[in-house]
Amino acid sequence: MNIHPTTAGMLLAGVLFVLGLISILVRRDIIFMLLSVEVMLNAAALAFVVASAHWGTADGQVMFVFILAMAAAEVSVGLALILQLYHQLKTLDSDEAAKMNG
Amino acid sequence: MMEPAFYIAAAIAVIATVMVITRYNIMHALLYLVVSLLAVAVVLYLYGAPFIAALEVIVYAGAIMVLLIFFVMMLNLGKESAMQEQQWLKPRIWIFPSLLCLVLLGELVFLISQNHQPPSEIKVVDPKAVGMALFGPYMAAVELTGILLMAGIVGAYHLGRQKEKTLHRFLEN
């Protein structure tokens, strides 16, 4: 098997991203959907680092740091939103939140 | 041509992610997600980014996963939670993630003891270059990221605050 390292890394990032996408489309538990977003963000960040290793520049790794900070902020706000949703609806089913008419 | 270490770590990452998206219990999924993130950290190390691999372990597999786990535990108030805890800690639940982690640990020890050098196609970017880029041309973006984190803190505090019940007496049914 003679695959170029950049190709192999991009393939891995693509597979992880698609797994997260499948999960976010299939699952109805809202915490699982948040987890899937994490998986997809992580795959995108991996693609950036692989590109950084391919070109030999630091820009991809800089982007990884930004994605990391964004993921942390996104998770904290998302968990607070889920907490509110759970207190309002007493369930974690995202279909319940479709009826948001106040 | 990548070495076998990459293929082992990539296989562990994909297997763990598949296990994440097929679990019914959120705690089991989180257990596998930590393994998946650790495997991705090994892949990052193999791509000549040791600083980024350390960040992945500390922030992703450490801080963010701990946040999620504490959150799930917080939601699970009630008398059945202790019984559930006992169910969760059966050996067949944690034996497979531990096995995957052990493979990753063995790989890491092997790589470090071999004084590993990445293949010739990969150009190593040292942490110094990343730091120079972060605090040179990307200075404005770093400050904006700080503001984003501040907005995350304020938003989480505001949303997570328990409102008084009387404010919602017309909304409750």
Side-chain angles (χ1 to χ4, degrees):
Chain A
M1 229 180 357
N2 199 0
I3 307 177
H4 194 274
T6 307
T7 315
M10 284 294 172
L11 278 176
L12 175 63
V15 168
L16 289 180
F17 189 89
V18 168
L19 282 174
L21 187 63
I22 290 170
S23 174
I24 205 172
L25 292 173
V26 168
R27 302 304 287 251
R28 281 293 165 266
D29 189 324
I30 201 157
I31 297 185
F32 270 102
M33 294 169 81
L34 195 66
L35 279 192
S36 316
V37 173
E38 287 301 307
V39 170
M40 288 161 72
L41 277 176
N42 192 41
L46 173 66
F48 268 111
V49 174
V50 171
S52 169
H54 181 75
W55 297 108
T57 58
D59 301 295
Q61 301 195 13
V62 168
M63 284 309 295
F64 184 96
V65 175
F66 290 153
I67 290 176
L68 203 66
M70 195 205 54
E74 175 251 337
V75 151
S76 63
V77 174
L79 285 180
L81 277 173
I82 294 174
L83 190 67
Q84 281 297 320
L85 200 73
Y86 185 71
H87 280 290
Q88 301 266 330
L89 302 173
K90 305 291 175 221
T91 177
L92 287 175
D93 187 359
S94 64
D95 282 341
E96 289 293 317
K99 305 186 276 284
M100 250 177 108
N101 43 357
Chain B
M1 177 66 189
M2 287 302 276
E3 61 245 275
F6 169 78
Y7 291 109
I8 297 171
I12 290 176
V14 171
I15 291 170
T17 308
V18 168
M19 294 299 270
V20 167
I21 71 173
T22 52
R23 291 307 92 185
Y24 293 118
N25 193 322
I26 183 77
M27 274 310 206
H28 303 167
L30 285 171
L31 212 55
Y32 280 109
L33 189 57
V34 171
V35 178
S36 165
L37 293 174
L38 291 177
V40 171
V42 171
V43 171
L44 292 173
Y45 178 76
L46 287 171
Y47 272 94
F51 173 59
I52 297 297
L55 272 186
E56 170 101 7
V57 173
I58 293 169
V59 179
Y60 251 118
I64 295 181
M65 286 305 113
V66 165
L67 192 66
L68 278 163
I69 287 171
F70 271 120
F71 175 77
V72 173
M73 286 177 168
M74 201 172 74
L75 283 188
N76 254 308
L77 300 173
K79 55 179 179 289
E80 72 268 21
S81 60
M83 209 174 63
Q84 211 165 19
E85 184 92 25
Q86 204 179 12
Q87 271 183 346
W88 284 345
L89 283 179
K90 277 180 192 157
R92 74 180 171 81
I93 299 302
W94 55 260
I95 208 93
F96 190 49
S98 311
L99 215 64
L100 291 178
C101 272
L102 271 181
V103 175
L104 280 177
L105 178 65
E107 198 176 341
L108 202 61
V109 167
F110 175 77
L111 286 174
I112 289 173
S113 65
Q114 291 285 306
N115 198 7
H116 159 259
Q117 292 294 327
S120 53
E121 296 101 323
I122 288 175
K123 302 179 187 70
V124 177
V125 181
D126 55 341
K128 187 184 171 190
V130 180
M132 296 286 272
L134 264 177
F135 291 98
Y138 287 102
M139 191 67 211
V142 171
E143 300 197 354
L144 286 177
T145 308
I147 295 174
L148 174 73
L149 284 174
M150 186 71 200
I153 291 171
V154 172
Y157 172 72
H158 178 72
L159 289 169
R161 201 173 37 178
Q162 300 285 335
K163 300 226 172 62
E164 288 135 41
K165 280 288 180 191
T166 51
L167 286 176
H168 287 287
R169 65 179 186 275
F170 300 121
L171 297 177
E172 282 175 355
N173 42 10

